[in-house]
Amino acid sequence: EDVLKSIASAYDAFMELKGNLQEGTKFYNDLTQLLVTFQSKVSDFCFARKTEKEELLKDLSSSLSSMSLEPPPASPAHHGAPAAPAADPSRPPRKNDPPARPPPPAVSAPAAPAADNTAAPQPAAAAPNPYAGAPG
């Protein structure tokens, strides 16, 4: 009786696997057909773009070959290179010019240390920060 139950369960498992294999085979056959169609469409698209590229290059090269190679006309004198702002002191300042830069702050030299060589040397005082408290 146990042997018959074992054979029946093995047969059920076999039939389930066989059905799954048939379903998988059908799925992949259908997928293959779809992919072949898609591959054909992609190949046609690539061929069309390659043909279009070659035609555009041909048109471009023919239009370039038909152009004259004369030098460009000379630009008028009033279109010459602009003078550098620092080179023309007679130019009045414009609204877009940045403000003039302030001079650096004057820093006084620290006082000379006393002639007492036994004391430890004092570190030099740091110069005051002119931008202290300015917004960052």
Side-chain angles (χ1 to χ4, degrees):
E1 188 174 320
D2 290 337
V3 175
L4 290 176
K5 286 181 183 178
S6 175
I7 291 174
S9 65
Y11 176 78
D12 291 340
F14 171 76
M15 293 307 286
E16 183 181 355
L17 287 174
K18 184 178 175 186
N20 290 343
L21 284 172
Q22 288 173 343
E23 184 180 344
T25 303
K26 180 184 179 309
F27 170 79
Y28 283 109
N29 284 337
D30 294 345
L31 180 64
T32 301
Q33 192 61 33
L34 290 171
L35 290 176
V36 167
T37 303
F38 183 66
Q39 182 182 20
S40 173
K41 289 180 180 180
V42 169
S43 295
D44 291 346
F45 179 82
C46 290
F47 180 76
R49 296 296 76 77
K50 182 181 175 187
T51 305
E52 183 181 12
K53 176 192 82 164
E54 290 170 355
E55 288 176 5
L56 289 172
L57 282 173
K58 185 175 129 183
D59 292 346
L60 183 63
S61 63
S62 66
S63 66
L64 283 177
S65 66
S66 67
M67 291 177 63
S68 64
L69 297 178
E70 297 174 13
S75 60
H78 66 276
H79 283 254
D88 188 9
S90 64
R91 181 181 66 82
R94 296 180 297 199
K95 288 182 180 181
N96 294 341
D97 284 348
R101 193 175 217 185
V107 178
S108 60
D116 185 13
N117 290 340
T118 59
Q122 297 292 326
N129 183 355
Y131 299 109

